[in-house]
Amino acid sequence: EDFFTIEGVRITFPNVEGDTCIGGETCTITWVKSEYVPAESARIFYKLRNNGLWKEIPESISGDAGSLTWVTPVVSEPQTKCKVKIVLKDSNGKTVGSDKSDGVFTIQPAP
C-alpha cells in the first residue's frame, strides 16, 4: 500500500456532479498531466454505477494527449453515478500516474 501519491495526472472533465454527457454522442474527457511524469500511453476507463465494473475505452491514447473524444454508451434513462478513470503508463508498461473523477457525473439519454 502506498502511503503517498504523486499527483501525476488529474481528470478535469467529466469530474464532478453537474458534469453531463449525452448517451450515444461524443463527450470529451480531459485531463492535466504533470510535466514530470514520463507517460508513454494513457488508458481510460468508465463505469455507469458506483458499484459497477470499470470498462476500458479501447482507443489507444498518447500519454501526452490531454483529452479523448469518447462516444458514450447509449442509455435509456439518466445514469447519475458515472465515473471515469485514467491510468498513465511509461514505456515499460509501469503505472506512473492515475486519477478518477472526484465526484459522479451524469450520462443523459439522447433527446
Side-chain angles (χ1 to χ4, degrees):
E1 188 69 56
D2 291 323
F3 293 99
F4 64 94
T5 303
I6 297 167
E7 189 177 89
V9 62
R10 191 167 47 82
I11 291 172
T12 51
F13 185 88
N15 188 48
V16 292
E17 203 158 342
D19 288 353
T20 301
C21 297
I22 305 297
E25 297 185 11
T26 58
C27 185
T28 302
I29 299 169
T30 58
W31 62 91
V32 178
K33 179 185 83 67
S34 163
E35 61 186 294
Y36 304 109
V37 173
E40 177 87 9
S41 64
R43 294 171 67 200
I44 314 268
F45 302 83
Y46 72 93
K47 61 182 177 178
L48 298 181
R49 285 181 272 304
N50 271 335
N51 58 356
L53 296 173
W54 290 104
K55 296 185 173 69
E56 186 167 5
I57 299 170
E59 278 91 331
S60 71
I61 312 151
S62 150
D64 292 322
S67 70
L68 168 71
T69 301
W70 173 41
V71 178
T72 58
V74 172
V75 295
S76 54
E77 57 194 32
Q79 300 294 314
T80 58
K81 304 270 189 236
C82 304
K83 289 203 157 204
V84 289
K85 173 171 80 169
I86 183 168
V87 178
L88 297 178
K89 303 271 189 185
D90 68 12
S91 53
N92 297 318
K94 182 171 168 279
T95 298
V96 291
S98 66
D99 189 34
K100 50 182 173 242
S101 314
D102 291 340
V104 294
F105 68 95
T106 299
I107 296 178
Q108 291 283 2

